[in-house]
Amino acid sequence: MVADPQECRDFLAAHPEVKFVEVFFTSMTGVPRGKRLRIHELQAIYDYGRFLPGSVLVVDTQGADCEDTGLVWEDGDADRRARPVPGTLKLAPWLGPDMAQVMLSLYELDGTPNDLDPRHVLRRVLDRFAADGLTPVVACELEYYLVDLERTASGDLQPPKSPLTGHRPDGIQVYGLPELEAIAPFLRELWATADVLDVPLEGAISEFAPSQVELTLKHKPDALAAADDALIYKRAAKGVALRHGCEATFMAKPWSDRAGNGFHVHVSVNDAAGNNLCASEELEGSDLLKHAIGGMKALMGDCMAILAPNANSYRRFKANSYAPVAPTWGVNNRTVSLRVPAGPPPTRHVEHRVAGADGNPYLVLAALLACAHYGITNKIDPGPAVVGDGYAAAAKENVRLPSNWFAAVDLFEASEVLADYLGERFVEMFVKVKRTEQARFFEVVTALDFDWYLRNA
């Protein structure tokens, strides 16, 4: 679905102060990329689209070409057609008073959706639910750190000084109110910006480490819009943080001795009338919810390349850290991967706790919803819920998720179910991008190499 050109005319009439616009799309790696244009160029994008090389969808995290995909030289670096996403043309106040932004999605020249665009990959999964008269309801929670723009003398990250107290936070202080009060100027501007963007940003908490926060996005019966919200929110949080002299990082594990950044996704399923099919007087939820959990649990290992897409992602998974290490589920239990939260029967749902905040929101939702649909369709039994320590239960049963980047990509490549849901060509290209990244990442000799091997080898 592309935006009506009238949307642009209405926006320009309402905002004569806007002189520039950033147009952006999301590559496989989840990094927004695009152009900054003069405002007089915008209407043509709504009328006809903008032509961009298809190879930009399969660049690596650093923005470098991945030649193994065949979309660079063999394809002639050919253009695709980028079209605006409805409802995403908004002011971008963190960029300046005369700035706007709009999200794009890529199509082939004949108008068919590009099967490597993450938005279209998610839409493909949602079409499977729609064919069965079902609608996923999704809410996203993203954890991240605020870090000082300046490193320590030894080059390490450090929390920023509070503009109110002049102190750097230390200690965990989970759910601490003084920690939120110390970053109140940032939070106030972030909430105001989210309102301008129509992103339903809700409450904030101080998380399990100094300068780590989590804000919740309100649930939506439109998973594609929920993914848009998550992507736009991440972009805005980074921009607002810079205005406050610090940086917002969604890196999965910025500090080895502190909590990682998770991306928790809350999922339920509605019928055509809007009724929650997961609702139940039983805390474990309805049979449909258990089947969805069964699918998520059975295919969790296959999804890890998407849920944990980078080398750093795997540093986050550690027992007794609130980051799951095994495909487990339970009720009102944060030591498992799939948690059915406490609450009244109509709100029954599952919280998927595995993904890192570095995951591409579209692909994370596409993968876990594909698993849920597979479980519902095949009535997969998740087995008994874990009671008590989920880490101990996983150790006792000797079950784990892939613990490194290479094993995860191998499992993803071999998954027939995910190829069916996400598209064979998408899986093939995602694997090629990640293997290119792996080669480039491990070519670099680091200071740790010298510390461990220079004298000891």
Side-chain angles (χ1 to χ4, degrees):
M1 183 177 178
V2 299
D4 187 329
Q6 186 62 40
E7 182 180 307
C8 181
R9 289 189 282 271
D10 292 344
F11 180 86
L12 295 178
H15 298 286
E17 75 279 12
V18 173
K19 304 301 180 187
F20 307 96
V21 59
E22 287 193 348
V23 298
F24 67 97
F25 60 94
T26 310
S27 63
M28 277 189 183
T29 58
V31 179
R33 302 187 184 278
K35 296 184 176 185
R36 180 173 288 200
L37 304 175
R38 303 286 299 277
I39 196 63
H40 67 262
E41 300 177 82
L42 183 60
Q43 188 65 58
I45 297 177
Y46 274 79
D47 292 339
Y48 311 112
R50 187 86 175 195
F51 294 99
L52 296 172
S55 60
V56 293
L57 286 171
V58 291
V59 294
D60 69 8
T61 304
Q62 298 296 306
D65 283 334
C66 294
E67 297 179 6
D68 286 352
T69 62
L71 293 178
V72 184
W73 312 122
E74 294 92 329
D75 189 51
D77 204 16
D79 279 338
R80 270 68 178 180
R81 192 178 181 190
R83 305 297 303 273
V85 175
T88 61
L89 177 56
K90 302 290 181 182
L91 297 174
W94 71 92
L95 295 175
D98 57 357
M99 289 292 306
Q101 69 170 17
V102 65
M103 181 182 289
L104 306 178
S105 195
L106 266 64
Y107 295 79
E108 300 299 334
L109 298 186
D110 63 4
T112 58
N114 183 290
D115 60 356
L116 303 182
D117 184 314
R119 293 189 85 254
H120 296 315
V121 174
L122 175 54
R123 169 56 65 193
R124 176 187 172 112
V125 174
L126 297 178
D127 286 345
R128 300 282 282 266
F129 280 89
D132 294 335
L134 303 174
T135 300
V137 178
V138 174
C140 300
E141 292 178 352
L142 288 157
E143 299 167 342
Y144 56 100
Y145 280 92
L146 297 177
V147 299
D148 202 310
L149 293 176
E150 293 187 9
R151 305 283 179 90
T152 67
S154 59
D156 295 327
L157 296 177
Q158 59 183 342
K161 290 182 179 179
S162 166
L164 302 180
T165 68
H167 298 299
R168 296 190 196 279
D170 57 13
I172 294 176
Q173 300 298 350
V174 65
Y175 282 83
L177 292 176
E179 286 64 36
L180 294 180
E181 292 158 10
I183 59 169
F186 164 75
L187 291 174
R188 287 179 183 275
E189 184 173 348
L190 182 60
W191 276 314
T193 300
D195 289 345
V196 170
L197 295 170
D198 285 334
V199 170
L201 189 61
E202 299 197 308
I205 64 168
S206 173
E207 261 293 345
F208 208 72
S211 76
Q212 188 187 35
V213 295
E214 177 187 86
L215 288 89
T216 303
L217 292 162
K218 186 175 175 60
H219 64 274
K220 283 189 172 181
D222 182 343
L224 191 57
D228 289 340
D229 287 344
L231 193 284
I232 292 170
Y233 164 55
K234 287 180 72 172
R235 176 172 153 82
K238 289 172 180 284
V240 171
L242 288 173
R243 286 170 52 86
H244 290 263
C246 59
E247 191 164 8
T249 179
F250 295 81
M251 181 179 176
K253 191 73 170 175
W255 278 278
S256 60
D257 58 348
R258 298 179 185 177
N261 288 322
F263 176 9
H264 300 162
V265 184
H266 296 254
V267 180
S268 58
V269 180
N270 284 356
D271 64 16
N275 300 306
N276 180 9
L277 297 175
C278 300
S280 172
E281 294 292 337
E282 300 295 326
L283 284 176
E284 290 189 350
S286 68
D287 286 344
L288 181 138
L289 178 58
K290 289 182 213 175
H291 293 151
I293 292 170
M296 291 177 172
K297 182 183 172 193
L299 296 169
M300 193 174 290
D302 292 16
C303 295
M304 284 298 289
I306 283 177
L307 305 178
N310 305 309
N312 174 263
S313 307
Y314 294 85
R315 302 189 191 281
R316 177 173 155 259
F317 299 105
K318 184 178 179 181
N320 304 317
S321 68
Y322 293 107
V325 297
T328 53
W329 81 284
V331 177
N332 194 19
N333 187 339
R334 285 185 171 85
T335 69
V336 296
S337 300
L338 301 163
R339 177 177 78 110
V340 179
T347 68
R348 204 73 70 222
H349 68 279
V350 61
E351 178 192 24
H352 195 293
R353 298 173 53 80
V354 181
D358 56 340
N360 182 327
Y362 300 102
L363 300 184
V364 169
L365 265 59
L368 68 89
L369 290 176
C371 298
H373 185 270
Y374 181 78
I376 293 168
T377 301
N378 293 280
K379 294 182 168 44
I380 296 178
D381 182 355
V386 170
V387 177
D389 187 347
Y391 296 106
K396 183 178 179 180
E397 296 179 15
N398 196 28
V399 290
R400 287 188 63 88
L401 295 169
S403 60
N404 68 77
W405 199 14
F406 291 87
V409 171
D410 289 345
L411 271 176
F412 179 72
E413 182 182 35
S415 177
E416 295 181 2
V417 174
L418 291 182
D420 177 42
Y421 276 88
L422 308 182
E424 290 184 8
R425 183 167 178 263
F426 169 80
V427 169
E428 176 189 357
M429 292 298 178
F430 184 88
V431 167
K432 287 182 176 180
V433 169
K434 287 301 160 184
R435 287 193 172 138
T436 299
E437 285 190 347
Q438 289 170 344
R440 289 170 177 169
F441 186 88
F442 283 98
E443 283 172 355
V444 178
V445 178
T446 69
L448 186 63
D449 288 77
F450 296 136
D451 292 343
W452 281 39
Y453 305 120
L454 184 65
R455 293 186 176 88
N456 296 327

